[in-house]
Amino acid sequence: MSKRILKLVLSDDLRRSKSDKLISNYIQRNLFELPFESARSIAQRLGVSPMTVGRYLRRMGFDGLDQLKEELRRGNSNPAWQVKGQVERLEQDRKEGKLLAGLIQQQAENLSLVYELTTTAEWQQAIDALVGATEIFVAAYQNVRGIAEYFASQLSYTRPRVSFVDGLNGTYAELLDGAVQGRLLFLHDVRRFASKARSLAVEARQAGVIVVLLTDEFCTWGKEEADICLVVPGSHGPLWDGAATMTAVMDLMLSNVIVVLGEAVGERVNMLTRLQDIFGDFEQ
């Protein structure tokens, strides 16, 4: 994305309302889709009217989406144009309506955006926070809870005092009681958002807990309520939410943490392996 477009979609003037934030996040995170989008299709994805999208584009200074596409094309800032010659067969299959071709293309495009995320200041801040926290609590809800529990389990192999917090005690007191300084909440939530996610983020920050939020472009409150907000492409499938993009982000975070911690990870894994052998939960 050109620096000018990025500056526009992140500006306060273009993030005043909920619909502004949805459209800004969509443009920022879905450059691969723009060559194939219209104002109407974006409106349908976000649950707003085409007129709302049109007004937003005019406030950006463009007389419609085609002008925005043209600026991006001239700047070669959209990888959808850069790699066009390399994916001709896949693109042809997608145009013919082949389901798996469309899904594979979307996954590949999302992973490219994930790489862009790893080069941002927010990513490095998140890694530093995960390494430096005294305790880490991971929370997630509904259908993304499983991959967040996986992340918590894997992260516990790299460093001590990591746990998944489910809130079933009705208080989250283990996180919010202020008994330990330097705590971190790693909160994972995507559309449709859990009703308690935002409240937990607010309460955690008020209790002095660092909040790292991993979410998608449909979240309108992340940057306001989290200390560090990592935004990845959301699901646009008609029937289900794919977990591949979020799982890839978490795996990359784990790898990054391992690199930073170095030999300490090996020592911890050896200790855990010895304990696993003692208690016999794994095959010898």
Side-chain angles (χ1 to χ4, degrees):
M1 177 179 290
S2 71
K3 291 182 178 180
R4 192 179 83 84
I5 299 300
L6 180 60
K7 185 176 180 179
L8 282 172
V9 299
L10 294 178
S11 67
D12 291 340
D13 286 343
L14 287 173
R15 301 182 67 88
R16 293 176 180 173
S17 66
K18 181 178 180 180
S19 60
D20 283 350
K21 292 175 182 177
L22 287 173
I23 299 169
S24 293
N25 289 341
Y26 186 86
I27 292 174
Q28 181 186 2
R29 301 296 174 181
N30 291 277
L31 289 183
F32 285 105
E33 293 296 321
L34 288 183
F36 317 109
E37 291 279 19
S38 66
R40 182 174 297 277
S41 66
I42 292 175
Q44 290 174 341
R45 292 182 188 279
L46 300 179
V48 300
S49 71
M51 291 181 62
T52 299
V53 176
R55 285 195 297 269
Y56 178 92
L57 291 169
R58 286 193 293 272
R59 287 165 55 202
M60 287 185 73
F62 298 104
D63 186 17
L65 188 61
D66 286 343
Q67 281 194 358
L68 173 58
K69 292 179 185 179
E70 180 60 29
E71 177 161 331
L72 292 171
R73 186 183 294 112
R74 287 198 305 269
N76 288 327
S77 57
N78 191 329
W81 288 296
Q82 295 175 17
V83 301
K84 183 176 180 181
Q86 303 173 26
V87 293
E88 289 181 354
R89 178 183 174 185
L90 182 63
E91 175 61 13
Q92 182 60 39
D93 287 347
R94 188 194 68 81
K95 289 181 178 179
E96 293 174 1
K98 295 181 180 180
L99 173 64
L100 293 184
L103 293 176
I104 290 171
Q105 183 183 50
Q106 183 65 63
Q107 295 289 3
E109 292 167 353
N110 285 350
L111 289 175
S112 294
L113 291 177
V114 168
Y115 175 72
E116 292 182 13
L117 176 65
T118 66
T119 66
T120 64
E122 289 82 3
W123 177 272
Q124 189 57 56
Q125 291 166 7
I127 298 301
D128 292 342
L130 289 170
V131 170
T134 55
E135 294 181 337
I136 296 175
F137 294 86
V138 179
Y141 307 94
Q142 302 159 359
N143 58 336
V144 296
R145 170 174 171 154
I147 57 175
E149 286 189 280
Y150 157 81
F151 176 73
S153 177
Q154 296 297 93
L155 187 62
S156 71
Y157 277 85
T158 72
R159 51 152 297 152
R161 294 182 293 281
V162 178
S163 59
F164 184 86
V165 55
D166 56 25
L168 293 180
N169 59 10
T171 64
Y172 291 96
E174 63 271 45
L175 169 68
L176 302 175
D177 63 9
V180 177
Q181 297 297 313
R183 283 176 172 167
L184 181 145
L185 169 64
F186 184 91
L187 180 60
H188 175 37
D189 200 19
V190 297
R191 188 179 70 170
R192 296 174 61 194
F193 298 95
S195 58
K196 63 180 68 175
R198 185 172 189 173
S199 297
L200 180 58
V202 171
E203 289 297 319
R205 292 186 77 186
Q206 290 179 352
V209 176
I210 297 172
V211 177
V212 177
L213 174 65
L214 176 60
T215 188
D216 61 30
E217 78 261 29
F218 301 109
C219 182
T220 60
W221 53 265
K223 294 184 182 298
E224 288 77 19
E225 309 298 1
D227 295 287
I228 305 166
C229 185
L230 302 174
V231 181
V232 302
S235 175
H236 299 285
L239 298 177
W240 64 90
D241 294 329
T245 302
M246 287 297 185
T247 303
V249 171
M250 293 179 182
D251 280 342
L252 289 171
M253 296 189 82
L254 289 166
S255 297
N256 204 157
V257 168
I258 289 170
V259 170
V260 173
L261 290 175
E263 295 181 0
V265 176
E267 295 172 0
R268 180 165 176 80
V269 170
N270 289 338
M271 181 269 292
L272 294 174
T273 301
R274 184 183 68 82
L275 293 175
Q276 289 167 348
D277 291 341
I278 290 174
F279 295 108
D281 280 346
F282 294 89
E283 291 184 357
Q284 298 295 321

PDB file of all heavy atoms in Angstrom, residues 206-224:
ATOM      1  N   GLN A 206      -7.052  -1.404  33.228  1.00  0.00           N
ATOM      2  CA  GLN A 206      -7.252  -0.650  34.461  1.00  0.00           C
ATOM      3  C   GLN A 206      -6.524  -1.296  35.636  1.00  0.00           C
ATOM      4  O   GLN A 206      -6.133  -0.603  36.580  1.00  0.00           O
ATOM      5  CB  GLN A 206      -8.744  -0.532  34.756  1.00  0.00           C
ATOM      6  CG  GLN A 206      -9.487   0.382  33.793  1.00  0.00           C
ATOM      7  CD  GLN A 206     -10.972   0.462  34.076  1.00  0.00           C
ATOM      8  OE1 GLN A 206     -11.503  -0.273  34.912  1.00  0.00           O
ATOM      9  NE2 GLN A 206     -11.665   1.363  33.386  1.00  0.00           N
ATOM     10  N   ALA A 207      -6.337  -2.612  35.567  1.00  0.00           N
ATOM     11  CA  ALA A 207      -5.626  -3.336  36.622  1.00  0.00           C
ATOM     12  C   ALA A 207      -4.119  -3.349  36.400  1.00  0.00           C
ATOM     13  O   ALA A 207      -3.384  -4.002  37.150  1.00  0.00           O
ATOM     14  CB  ALA A 207      -6.148  -4.772  36.718  1.00  0.00           C
ATOM     15  N   GLY A 208      -3.640  -2.645  35.369  1.00  0.00           N
ATOM     16  CA  GLY A 208      -2.210  -2.578  35.111  1.00  0.00           C
ATOM     17  C   GLY A 208      -1.668  -3.730  34.302  1.00  0.00           C
ATOM     18  O   GLY A 208      -0.456  -3.932  34.227  1.00  0.00           O
ATOM     19  N   VAL A 209      -2.560  -4.503  33.674  1.00  0.00           N
ATOM     20  CA  VAL A 209      -2.156  -5.636  32.844  1.00  0.00           C
ATOM     21  C   VAL A 209      -1.951  -5.156  31.410  1.00  0.00           C
ATOM     22  O   VAL A 209      -2.782  -4.429  30.862  1.00  0.00           O
ATOM     23  CB  VAL A 209      -3.231  -6.744  32.881  1.00  0.00           C
ATOM     24  CG1 VAL A 209      -2.860  -7.891  31.952  1.00  0.00           C
ATOM     25  CG2 VAL A 209      -3.428  -7.246  34.304  1.00  0.00           C
ATOM     26  N   ILE A 210      -0.855  -5.556  30.785  1.00  0.00           N
ATOM     27  CA  ILE A 210      -0.620  -5.252  29.379  1.00  0.00           C
ATOM     28  C   ILE A 210      -1.562  -6.111  28.542  1.00  0.00           C
ATOM     29  O   ILE A 210      -1.667  -7.321  28.752  1.00  0.00           O
ATOM     30  CB  ILE A 210       0.836  -5.532  28.985  1.00  0.00           C
ATOM     31  CG1 ILE A 210       1.782  -4.616  29.763  1.00  0.00           C
ATOM     32  CG2 ILE A 210       1.041  -5.348  27.484  1.00  0.00           C
ATOM     33  CD1 ILE A 210       3.243  -4.957  29.573  1.00  0.00           C
ATOM     34  N   VAL A 211      -2.244  -5.500  27.587  1.00  0.00           N
ATOM     35  CA  VAL A 211      -3.200  -6.219  26.746  1.00  0.00           C
ATOM     36  C   VAL A 211      -2.683  -6.264  25.310  1.00  0.00           C
ATOM     37  O   VAL A 211      -2.476  -5.226  24.676  1.00  0.00           O
ATOM     38  CB  VAL A 211      -4.587  -5.559  26.775  1.00  0.00           C
ATOM     39  CG1 VAL A 211      -5.544  -6.291  25.822  1.00  0.00           C
ATOM     40  CG2 VAL A 211      -5.148  -5.567  28.197  1.00  0.00           C
ATOM     41  N   VAL A 212      -2.479  -7.487  24.819  1.00  0.00           N
ATOM     42  CA  VAL A 212      -2.159  -7.724  23.416  1.00  0.00           C
ATOM     43  C   VAL A 212      -3.393  -8.349  22.780  1.00  0.00           C
ATOM     44  O   VAL A 212      -3.846  -9.414  23.216  1.00  0.00           O
ATOM     45  CB  VAL A 212      -0.941  -8.651  23.244  1.00  0.00           C
ATOM     46  CG1 VAL A 212      -0.688  -8.927  21.757  1.00  0.00           C
ATOM     47  CG2 VAL A 212       0.293  -8.042  23.890  1.00  0.00           C
ATOM     48  N   LEU A 213      -3.946  -7.696  21.778  1.00  0.00           N
ATOM     49  CA  LEU A 213      -5.153  -8.187  21.114  1.00  0.00           C
ATOM     50  C   LEU A 213      -4.806  -8.659  19.711  1.00  0.00           C
ATOM     51  O   LEU A 213      -4.235  -7.914  18.920  1.00  0.00           O
ATOM     52  CB  LEU A 213      -6.206  -7.088  21.040  1.00  0.00           C
ATOM     53  CG  LEU A 213      -7.474  -7.425  20.237  1.00  0.00           C
ATOM     54  CD1 LEU A 213      -8.253  -8.553  20.895  1.00  0.00           C
ATOM     55  CD2 LEU A 213      -8.352  -6.182  20.060  1.00  0.00           C
ATOM     56  N   LEU A 214      -5.150  -9.912  19.417  1.00  0.00           N
ATOM     57  CA  LEU A 214      -5.052 -10.443  18.057  1.00  0.00           C
ATOM     58  C   LEU A 214      -6.468 -10.538  17.511  1.00  0.00           C
ATOM     59  O   LEU A 214      -7.296 -11.284  18.025  1.00  0.00           O
ATOM     60  CB  LEU A 214      -4.381 -11.820  18.072  1.00  0.00           C
ATOM     61  CG  LEU A 214      -4.302 -12.547  16.717  1.00  0.00           C
ATOM     62  CD1 LEU A 214      -3.512 -11.719  15.705  1.00  0.00           C
ATOM     63  CD2 LEU A 214      -3.681 -13.931  16.897  1.00  0.00           C
ATOM     64  N   THR A 215      -6.749  -9.781  16.445  1.00  0.00           N
ATOM     65  CA  THR A 215      -8.123  -9.691  15.956  1.00  0.00           C
ATOM     66  C   THR A 215      -8.128  -9.531  14.441  1.00  0.00           C
ATOM     67  O   THR A 215      -7.090  -9.665  13.779  1.00  0.00           O
ATOM     68  CB  THR A 215      -8.855  -8.527  16.657  1.00  0.00           C
ATOM     69  OG1 THR A 215     -10.242  -8.564  16.327  1.00  0.00           O
ATOM     70  CG2 THR A 215      -8.254  -7.187  16.266  1.00  0.00           C
ATOM     71  N   ASP A 216      -9.315  -9.263  13.886  1.00  0.00           N
ATOM     72  CA  ASP A 216      -9.433  -9.079  12.439  1.00  0.00           C
ATOM     73  C   ASP A 216      -9.911  -7.666  12.110  1.00  0.00           C
ATOM     74  O   ASP A 216     -10.132  -6.850  13.007  1.00  0.00           O
ATOM     75  CB  ASP A 216     -10.356 -10.130  11.819  1.00  0.00           C
ATOM     76  CG  ASP A 216     -11.780 -10.070  12.359  1.00  0.00           C
ATOM     77  OD1 ASP A 216     -12.230  -8.970  12.744  1.00  0.00           O
ATOM     78  OD2 ASP A 216     -12.447 -11.118  12.407  1.00  0.00           O
ATOM     79  N   GLU A 217     -10.055  -7.388  10.819  1.00  0.00           N
ATOM     80  CA  GLU A 217     -10.362  -6.016  10.409  1.00  0.00           C
ATOM     81  C   GLU A 217     -11.771  -5.580  10.756  1.00  0.00           C
ATOM     82  O   GLU A 217     -12.113  -4.406  10.593  1.00  0.00           O
ATOM     83  CB  GLU A 217     -10.132  -5.840   8.899  1.00  0.00           C
ATOM     84  CG  GLU A 217     -11.223  -6.402   8.021  1.00  0.00           C
ATOM     85  CD  GLU A 217     -10.886  -7.762   7.454  1.00  0.00           C
ATOM     86  OE1 GLU A 217     -10.122  -8.512   8.108  1.00  0.00           O
ATOM     87  OE2 GLU A 217     -11.374  -8.090   6.360  1.00  0.00           O
ATOM     88  N   PHE A 218     -12.596  -6.493  11.248  1.00  0.00           N
ATOM     89  CA  PHE A 218     -13.955  -6.129  11.612  1.00  0.00           C
ATOM     90  C   PHE A 218     -14.046  -5.565  13.030  1.00  0.00           C
ATOM     91  O   PHE A 218     -15.103  -5.082  13.437  1.00  0.00           O
ATOM     92  CB  PHE A 218     -14.882  -7.342  11.485  1.00  0.00           C
ATOM     93  CG  PHE A 218     -14.916  -7.923  10.105  1.00  0.00           C
ATOM     94  CD1 PHE A 218     -14.336  -9.146   9.831  1.00  0.00           C
ATOM     95  CD2 PHE A 218     -15.509  -7.223   9.063  1.00  0.00           C
ATOM     96  CE1 PHE A 218     -14.354  -9.670   8.555  1.00  0.00           C
ATOM     97  CE2 PHE A 218     -15.534  -7.740   7.777  1.00  0.00           C
ATOM     98  CZ  PHE A 218     -14.951  -8.974   7.520  1.00  0.00           C
ATOM     99  N   CYS A 219     -12.956  -5.618  13.775  1.00  0.00           N
ATOM    100  CA  CYS A 219     -12.947  -5.102  15.144  1.00  0.00           C
ATOM    101  C   CYS A 219     -12.802  -3.583  15.116  1.00  0.00           C
ATOM    102  O   CYS A 219     -11.845  -3.047  14.537  1.00  0.00           O
ATOM    103  CB  CYS A 219     -11.802  -5.715  15.942  1.00  0.00           C
ATOM    104  SG  CYS A 219     -11.749  -5.192  17.666  1.00  0.00           S
ATOM    105  N   THR A 220     -13.734  -2.890  15.753  1.00  0.00           N
ATOM    106  CA  THR A 220     -13.726  -1.422  15.735  1.00  0.00           C
ATOM    107  C   THR A 220     -13.170  -0.821  17.019  1.00  0.00           C
ATOM    108  O   THR A 220     -13.018   0.398  17.105  1.00  0.00           O
ATOM    109  CB  THR A 220     -15.147  -0.887  15.516  1.00  0.00           C
ATOM    110  OG1 THR A 220     -15.996  -1.349  16.575  1.00  0.00           O
ATOM    111  CG2 THR A 220     -15.703  -1.352  14.182  1.00  0.00           C
ATOM    112  N   TRP A 221     -12.857  -1.646  18.021  1.00  0.00           N
ATOM    113  CA  TRP A 221     -12.436  -1.105  19.311  1.00  0.00           C
ATOM    114  C   TRP A 221     -11.018  -1.501  19.709  1.00  0.00           C
ATOM    115  O   TRP A 221     -10.496  -1.026  20.706  1.00  0.00           O
ATOM    116  CB  TRP A 221     -13.399  -1.559  20.414  1.00  0.00           C
ATOM    117  CG  TRP A 221     -13.637  -3.042  20.484  1.00  0.00           C
ATOM    118  CD1 TRP A 221     -14.657  -3.744  19.907  1.00  0.00           C
ATOM    119  CD2 TRP A 221     -12.843  -4.012  21.163  1.00  0.00           C
ATOM    120  NE1 TRP A 221     -14.554  -5.077  20.182  1.00  0.00           N
ATOM    121  CE2 TRP A 221     -13.448  -5.275  20.965  1.00  0.00           C
ATOM    122  CE3 TRP A 221     -11.681  -3.942  21.934  1.00  0.00           C
ATOM    123  CZ2 TRP A 221     -12.923  -6.460  21.491  1.00  0.00           C
ATOM    124  CZ3 TRP A 221     -11.157  -5.120  22.460  1.00  0.00           C
ATOM    125  CH2 TRP A 221     -11.772  -6.355  22.241  1.00  0.00           C
ATOM    126  N   GLY A 222     -10.370  -2.332  18.923  1.00  0.00           N
ATOM    127  CA  GLY A 222      -9.084  -2.891  19.324  1.00  0.00           C
ATOM    128  C   GLY A 222      -8.010  -1.869  19.629  1.00  0.00           C
ATOM    129  O   GLY A 222      -7.336  -1.936  20.659  1.00  0.00           O
ATOM    130  N   LYS A 223      -7.840  -0.909  18.741  1.00  0.00           N
ATOM    131  CA  LYS A 223      -6.758   0.059  18.924  1.00  0.00           C
ATOM    132  C   LYS A 223      -7.011   0.980  20.105  1.00  0.00           C
ATOM    133  O   LYS A 223      -6.077   1.554  20.659  1.00  0.00           O
ATOM    134  CB  LYS A 223      -6.564   0.869  17.635  1.00  0.00           C
ATOM    135  CG  LYS A 223      -6.066   0.034  16.467  1.00  0.00           C
ATOM    136  CD  LYS A 223      -5.796   0.890  15.240  1.00  0.00           C
ATOM    137  CE  LYS A 223      -5.349   0.042  14.057  1.00  0.00           C
ATOM    138  NZ  LYS A 223      -4.088  -0.666  14.309  1.00  0.00           N
ATOM    139  N   GLU A 224      -8.285   1.132  20.495  1.00  0.00           N
ATOM    140  CA  GLU A 224      -8.611   1.990  21.634  1.00  0.00           C
ATOM    141  C   GLU A 224      -8.435   1.259  22.969  1.00  0.00           C
ATOM    142  O   GLU A 224      -8.039   1.864  23.957  1.00  0.00           O
ATOM    143  CB  GLU A 224     -10.054   2.500  21.526  1.00  0.00           C
ATOM    144  CG  GLU A 224     -10.283   3.548  20.449  1.00  0.00           C
ATOM    145  CD  GLU A 224     -10.345   2.963  19.064  1.00  0.00           C
ATOM    146  OE1 GLU A 224     -10.579   1.735  18.942  1.00  0.00           O
ATOM    147  OE2 GLU A 224     -10.165   3.719  18.087  1.00  0.00           O
TER     148      GLU A 224
END
